[in-house]
């Protein structure tokens, strides 16, 4: 909660520092996508290595997000934010200096650790610095800046790769991190959460379960679905996640309180976030390579041509926020997810080795509009669905769902791609791309249905909060 004496300058500095830090962490989700062909050419490796270049970041990011929020509650949010920023900056430099794929993947995993420590604390630090009546606006600006990272990620990655080298997509983080660190220590106020205890068993169970599933999916094509490592990951992973849920239901200080999921608003937006990122992230991973490997565009040209999709949030997000203030966030999110699914379906319908860019524009615009309508109100829906003292864990849970969705999306869609096509020719790539896009479209369509499904009167009564919401969606 913001303190009564919070000054305007403190709130502005908190907004600047947390937004830029969030931008940096979100940027590294997508900045690597347009650099993948150059990384593959420079360091070698196949599809599996490229998957891990993306998934090593998103997976460690996802499984440690809630733990990062808990560390902030225990040791101080500003302190852990600064430590996370330091880890992220150092790992970025290590990724830029990596001599091989193994070292790059390891550095990306450490980057994810740093991002998991800093990102969930951005919203709690911002919430503590901004008065309650202005948090909706502050969250909107924070979300728009993070949306800008999604919008410019492929373009920034393509520009740096083409005009400098792929290493510069990681060097970019170093001066930003070095600039933010003293600002965070000097300008942000310190705060702690109500639950100072750490849930180490829960963290281990969640991490092991998610890793097993993603590992099994990533290795399914090179090793075979019936190989021992793949079967072990795909069987043990869900079992360990079930054990995680069982433990969290009984733990005195759970990392993820299962009672939060009794709220329909909280549970539906988290399920939708996971499915949205399965479809969106997995599709961008493949389409960025399609633009270069099949269409023959340079990294910059590919990044520019992705802008009607990734850049649309900058145009549509303000309108989406305006509309959600008047009709509620849930219908806006539902429409956005439906449009994102429709856009991916359009991609699948027109994908071909000789398809013109003009033919792709409608799919790009529809997908971008849908993504903007989803991003704008979703953070506010999450933060409004829990008590103020639960905002940190709610933010961590939602971001974890997104990152888990991203990891699963890359793994699932790449597995579909590999089973139907490959890199041997342009036609082979399209043969694998088309069914993968249909899978992505289906995942997002299910997310739209989950959000749009009306609650029964009985469930609606249960879901009414017993406390004033943080912000009206």
């Amino acid at each position: 909660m913001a303190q009564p004496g919070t000054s305007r300058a403190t709130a502005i500095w908190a907004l600047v520092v947390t937004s830029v830090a969030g931008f940096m962490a979100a940027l590294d989700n997508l900045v690597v996508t347009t650099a993948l062909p150059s990384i593959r050419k420079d360091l070698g490796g196949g599809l599996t290595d490229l998957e891990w270049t993306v998934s090593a970041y998103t997976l460690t990011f996802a499984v440690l997000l809630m733990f990062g929020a808990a560390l902030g509650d225990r040791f101080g949010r500003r302190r852990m934010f600064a430590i996370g920023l330091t880890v992220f900056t150092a790992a970025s430099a290590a990724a830029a200096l990596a001599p091989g794929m193994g070292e790059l993947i390891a550095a990306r995993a450490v980057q994810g650790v740093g991002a998991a420590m800093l990102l969930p604390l951005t919203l709690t630090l911002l919430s503590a610095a901004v008065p309650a009546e202005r948090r909706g606006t502050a969250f909107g600006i924070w979300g728009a800046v993070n949306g800008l990272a999604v919008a410019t990620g492929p373009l920034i990655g393509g520009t740096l790769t083409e005009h400098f080298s792929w290493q510069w997509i990681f060097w970019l983080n170093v001066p930003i991190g070095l600039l933010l660190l003293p600002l965070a220590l000097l300008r942000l106020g310190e705060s702690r959460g109500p639950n100072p205890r750490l849930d180490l068993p829960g963290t281990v169970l969640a991490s092991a379960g998610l890793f097993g599933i993603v590992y099994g999916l990533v290795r399914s094509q090179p090793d075979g679905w019936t190989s021992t490592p793949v079967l072990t990951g795909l069987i043990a992973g869900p079992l360990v996640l079930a054990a995680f849920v069982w433990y969290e239901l009984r733990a005195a200080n759970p990392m993820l309180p299962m009672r939060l999921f009794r709220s329909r608003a909280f549970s539906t937006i988290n399920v939708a976030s996971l499915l949205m990122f399965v479809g969106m992230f997995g599709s961008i991973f493949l389409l960025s390579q399609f633009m270069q490997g099949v269409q023959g565009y340079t990294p910059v040209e590919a990044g520019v041509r992705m802008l009607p999709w990734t850049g649309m949030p900058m145009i549509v997000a303000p309108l989406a926020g305006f509309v959600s203030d008047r009709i509620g966030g849930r219908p806006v999110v539902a429409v956005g997810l439906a449009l994102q699914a429709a856009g991916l379906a359009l991609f699948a319908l027109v994908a071909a080795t000789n398809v013109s860019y003009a033919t792709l524009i409608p799919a790009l615009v529809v997908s971008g509009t849908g993504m903007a309508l989803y991003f704008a109100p979703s953070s506010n829906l999450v933060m409004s669905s829990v008590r103020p003292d639960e905002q940190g864990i709610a933010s961590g849970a939602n971001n974890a769902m997104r990152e888990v969705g991203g990891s699963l999306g890359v793994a699932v869609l790449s597995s579909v791609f590999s089973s139907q096509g490959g890199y041997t020719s342009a036609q082979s790539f399209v043969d694998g791309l088309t069914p993968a896009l249909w899978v992505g479209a289906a995942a997002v369509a299910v997310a739209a249905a989950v959000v749009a499904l009306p609650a029964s009167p009985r469930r609606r009564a249960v879901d009414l909060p017993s406390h004033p919401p943080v912000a009206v969606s």
Side-chain angles (χ1 to χ4, degrees), residues 313-406:
M314 290 185 288
I315 301 173
V316 178
L319 177 62
F322 176 82
V323 173
S324 65
D325 283 341
R326 279 147 183 79
I327 68 172
R330 192 166 65 90
V332 177
V333 169
V335 171
L337 291 168
L339 288 175
Q340 177 70 87
L344 294 178
L346 285 174
F347 271 120
L349 288 171
V350 302
T353 57
N354 59 349
V355 65
S356 66
Y357 178 68
T359 305
L360 296 175
I361 289 178
L364 290 163
V365 172
V366 171
S367 294
T369 303
M371 184 167 67
L373 293 175
Y374 160 80
F375 274 127
S378 60
S379 293
N380 200 23
L381 283 176
V382 172
M383 301 298 274
S384 300
S385 66
V386 299
R387 298 194 303 264
D389 61 352
E390 294 174 330
Q391 286 182 344
I393 200 65
S395 170
N398 184 249
N399 281 292
M401 287 291 186
R402 295 184 184 192
E403 298 304 322
V404 168

Side-chain angles (χ1 to χ4, degrees), residues 246-261:
W246 180 87
Y247 175 81
E248 294 294 284
L249 286 169
R250 290 155 178 79
N253 297 283
M255 177 178 68
L256 178 58
M258 292 296 155
R259 68 176 183 277
L260 295 180
F261 290 95

Side-chain angles (χ1 to χ4, degrees), residues 81-131:
F81 176 85
I83 293 174
L85 188 60
T86 302
V87 171
F88 184 88
T89 303
S92 297
L97 295 170
M101 288 298 296
E103 293 83 357
L104 176 60
I105 291 169
R108 288 283 285 167
V110 178
Q111 260 193 313
V113 174
M117 295 172 68
L118 69 90
L119 186 64
L121 299 178
T122 57
L123 281 177
T124 48
L125 287 166
L126 185 59
S127 180
V130 177

Side-chain angles (χ1 to χ4, degrees), residues 48-192:
T48 300
D49 297 303
L50 296 183
E51 288 180 63
W52 279 116
T53 301
V54 176
S55 294
Y57 179 79
T58 58
L59 189 57
T60 54
F61 194 179
V63 300
L64 295 176
L65 267 166
M66 289 176 286
F67 190 61
L71 286 172
D73 288 347
R74 171 66 178 85
F75 297 108
R77 290 161 178 163
R78 182 183 63 183
R79 177 185 298 174
M80 297 313 301
F81 176 85
I83 293 174
L85 188 60
T86 302
V87 171
F88 184 88
T89 303
S92 297
L97 295 170
M101 288 298 296
E103 293 83 357
L104 176 60
I105 291 169
R108 288 283 285 167
V110 178
Q111 260 193 313
V113 174
M117 295 172 68
L118 69 90
L119 186 64
L121 299 178
T122 57
L123 281 177
T124 48
L125 287 166
L126 185 59
S127 180
V130 177
E133 66 273 12
R134 295 182 180 175
R135 284 187 196 139
T137 300
F139 290 157
I141 295 172
W142 180 92
V145 173
N146 277 261
L148 182 65
V150 175
T152 57
L155 178 58
I156 291 175
T159 301
L160 293 173
T161 299
E162 184 172 336
H163 294 293
F164 298 95
S165 68
W166 63 263
Q167 285 89 347
W168 278 95
I169 65 177
F170 302 115
W171 282 125
L172 177 67
N173 295 324
V174 176
I176 297 175
L178 293 176
L179 176 64
L180 284 180
L181 188 58
L183 290 177
L185 294 173
L186 294 173
R187 298 293 184 177
L188 296 179
E190 185 60 282
S191 64
R192 287 177 170 81

Side-chain angles (χ1 to χ4, degrees), residues 191-260:
S191 64
R192 287 177 170 81
N195 181 10
R197 298 187 180 181
L198 300 177
D199 181 10
L200 292 176
T203 301
V204 172
L205 289 171
S207 303
L210 291 170
F211 178 81
I213 294 172
V214 173
Y215 179 84
L217 290 169
V218 169
R219 296 302 306 177
S220 62
Q221 289 307 308
D223 294 349
W225 288 100
T226 58
S227 66
T228 300
V230 170
L231 286 177
T232 300
L234 294 180
I235 295 173
L239 292 176
V240 174
L241 285 182
F244 165 74
V245 173
W246 180 87
Y247 175 81
E248 294 294 284
L249 286 169
R250 290 155 178 79
N253 297 283
M255 177 178 68
L256 178 58
M258 292 296 155
R259 68 176 183 277
L260 295 180

Side-chain angles (χ1 to χ4, degrees), residues 1 28 58 303 465:
M1 291 288 290
D28 270 60
T58 58

